[in-house]
Amino acid sequence: MAEFNVNKHEVGSVNVLDLKGYLDAHTAPELEREFNKLIDDRKYKVVVNFKDLNYISSAGLGVFMAYVETMRENKGDIKFSNLKQDVYNIFDLLGFPMLYEFYEDESEAIKNFNEQNKD
Amino acid sequence: MKTKYKIDRKIEIKSSTANLSLVRDFVKKAAKDSGFNDETIGKIILAVDEACTNVIKHAYHYSNDGDIKIRAVFDKSKFKVIITDHGEPFNAKEIPEPNLQEYHRLKKVGGLGMFLMRKLMDEINYSTGNKTFNKVTLVKYLK
C-alpha cells in the first residue's frame, strides 16, 4: 500500500500542510479529512508544501479543486510550494497555474498571505 | 510461457485502490526494462494508475472484490499496457475532453484522469467485449 501522510503546522494565521509520499485515489481521502478539519476550525489560509511528495494522480488534484472555492469565499486561499518538477508538470497539464499560486518556497507563500492581509 | 514479445508480463489485482501502488510498481519495472527514461516512465505510471482508478470507480463502483488484469507488452519500440475488467460496461470514449477553465469553475473533478491519459500516452484504445468485459489499451512508443 502506498505511503502517504499529512503534517500540519501553523505560521501566524497561515496553516501549512506538509505532504509526504504518494497521493492517489487511495490516499486522497486522508487529505480531504485535513481540509474538512481546517474548515471546521475556520482556518482558510492554507499553504500546501509538496517538498516530500513523490507522486500525485488526478484524485489528489481533485481535492484542491473541491476545497479552493470555500477557502477563497472566506478570504483565504490554497497556495502551493516546493513542488518537484514532475509533480508540477501534472498540475501544469491540468491548467492549475492559471488559477492557483505556486511558490518555490513555503516562506514565500506565507509572506504572500501576510502581505494580502495588510491591504 | 512462450511469447513473441520481448517483454510480456501480467499482474492481476482485486479492485481496491489500496492495490494501485502494486500496479505502479509493476508498470514501473516493465517500462524500465523496456528502456524508457525516468520522465517517460513517470508518465506511463500515472496513465495506468488513472486507467485502473477509472475501472475501480466506474466498472466496480468502489467494490473491492472485482478483478482487474494488467498486461504489459513491449516489442519493436511499442510498449502496450492492456487493462481488462469484468465490471459494468462503461464507455470511456464518450467522455468529452474537458475545457479546463470550465472544469475549475464548475469544480468538476471526474474526467480529469481520462484527460491526463490522453495527454500522457501516444494512443489509447477502448473496447467492450459483448458487454462482458472492458478493455483499455495504453500505448507509448520508445523514441
Side-chain angles (χ1 to χ4, degrees), chain A residues 30-46:
Chain A
E30 200 166 320
L31 183 59
E32 281 172 7
R33 275 195 291 278
E34 291 300 329
F35 273 104
N36 285 333
K37 271 191 238 165
L38 288 170
I39 290 167
D40 287 347
D41 296 341
R42 299 176 181 278
K43 291 172 175 172
Y44 303 112
K45 292 174 187 167
V46 185

Side-chain angles (χ1 to χ4, degrees), chain B residues 6 10 20 23 40 43-44 52-53 57 63 70 87 90 106-107 116 125 131-132 136 141:
Chain B
K6 279 185 184 160
K10 283 175 200 163
L20 289 170
V23 175
T40 310
K43 290 179 180 175
I44 297 170
C52 290
T53 301
K57 199 168 159 183
S63 144
I70 300 118
F90 71 102
L106 299 171
K107 294 203 283 181
L116 276 179
N125 298 303
K131 295 196 172 174
T132 57
V136 54
Y141 291 98

